[in-house]
Amino acid sequence: KNEVEQSPQNLTAQEGEFITINCSYSVGISALHWLQQHPGGGIVSLFMLSSGKKKHGRLIATINIQEKHSSLHITASHPRDSAVYICAVPPFGNEKLTFGTGTRLTIIP
Amino acid sequence: ETGVTQTPRHLVMGMTNKKSLKCEQHLGHNAMYWYKQSAKKPLELMFVYSLEERVENNSVPSRFSPECPNSSHLFLHLHTLQPEDSALYLCASSPRTSGGRNIQYFGAGTRLSVL
């Protein structure tokens, strides 16, 4: 059974701080997704990656396939980054995404 | 704006009511999904449609009945729901269904309360 664990579950930081959110999974995968869910409920896809690192603005996602681990970093955090960040993976040969429970990030001005 | 529109945004219904959730995408995607997100739980996949054909039914109770009349529209018909069905229901679409290597575009969700 594929399990996806995220840490921390909750994170509160001051504006400007460097943020790291971690995701670990238990089975081989073809890609990993990072998603952002705002308080209203809508979800936005941030990254899909299968190796190395991807960067988009102040967000950076890394993945280590051998260690079955990924991290999402936010540089120069801002209150508008406050959201739930969700990691999701499709096991090899499976159409379905398995989701983590999410990390609730709050950035204080 | 992700290009996936869900209506209504909020719904309160009694256990004997019948209601429907609607999802619409004009992204030209061939795959559409229904997810359930309960409080403090991960998203759970309910149904997957590919080119209007249901390709995944994740052991969902029959009181939830999906319908995909065309590749742009997806419905979730609800009847005789239970209070534990109260949750956020999210629709998503992707170009294809191949193995989770497609980015999924999510709607804003319908927050359902069953009294």
Side-chain angles (χ1 to χ4, degrees):
Chain A
K1 177 186 173 186
N2 183 31
E3 294 186 348
V4 181
E5 301 279 343
Q6 286 188 239
S7 64
Q9 288 189 330
N10 294 283
L11 177 58
T12 300
Q14 293 289 134
E15 183 174 355
E17 286 190 40
F18 181 81
I19 304 298
T20 296
I21 299 169
N22 297 298
C23 174
S24 298
Y25 50 92
S26 57
V27 300
I29 63 169
S30 54
L32 181 142
H33 298 252
W34 280 104
L35 309 164
Q36 179 191 56
Q37 185 171 30
H38 278 283
I43 292 176
V44 174
S45 179
L46 297 175
F47 295 103
M48 182 181 69
L49 68 166
S50 55
S51 65
K53 180 167 88 171
K54 283 193 174 181
K55 184 175 188 291
H56 182 71
R58 295 179 294 106
L59 273 59
I60 303 166
T62 63
I63 188 168
N64 185 319
I65 294 290
Q66 288 73 28
E67 294 186 4
K68 297 186 171 61
H69 180 268
S70 175
S71 293
L72 177 68
H73 305 285
I74 305 175
T75 62
S77 59
H78 190 276
R80 65 175 174 267
D81 296 327
S82 298
V84 175
Y85 292 85
I86 301 170
C87 167
V89 299
F92 275 130
N94 196 324
E95 302 286 345
K96 295 189 272 191
L97 289 177
T98 301
F99 294 83
T101 51
T103 294
R104 184 174 298 278
L105 175 66
T106 304
I107 304 296
I108 299 171
Chain B
E1 179 60 49
T2 62
V4 179
T5 304
Q6 286 189 245
T7 54
R9 291 294 313 276
H10 302 272
L11 179 62
V12 179
M13 59 187 289
M15 291 194 290
T16 58
N17 292 157
K18 289 185 182 181
K19 297 285 184 184
S20 295
L21 309 185
K22 179 182 176 183
C23 177
E24 189 171 351
Q25 59 91 7
H26 295 289
L27 300 170
H29 291 170
N30 290 329
M32 297 186 78
Y33 310 76
W34 277 119
Y35 288 95
K36 176 184 179 183
Q37 187 179 35
S38 303
K40 299 192 189 303
K41 288 188 177 180
L43 273 80
E44 302 170 60
L45 179 66
M46 300 175 72
F47 302 104
V48 181
Y49 275 81
S50 177
L51 293 170
E52 301 150 44
E53 180 183 340
R54 191 190 311 177
V55 297
E56 184 80 36
N57 178 342
N58 205 23
S59 303
V60 179
S62 60
R63 56 186 184 269
F64 295 91
S65 175
E67 179 191 2
C68 189
N70 55 63
S71 59
S72 298
H73 293 86
L74 185 66
F75 294 89
L76 188 62
H77 303 299
L78 316 171
H79 64 97
T80 58
L81 293 192
Q82 305 298 311
E84 61 264 28
D85 296 322
S86 298
L88 181 69
Y89 289 85
L90 289 151
C91 172
S93 72
S94 66
R96 299 176 305 279
T97 59
S98 55
R101 290 187 64 86
N102 280 265
I103 289 176
Q104 294 184 20
Y105 294 76
F106 286 81
T110 295
R111 189 161 297 281
L112 174 68
S113 297
V114 181
L115 305 178

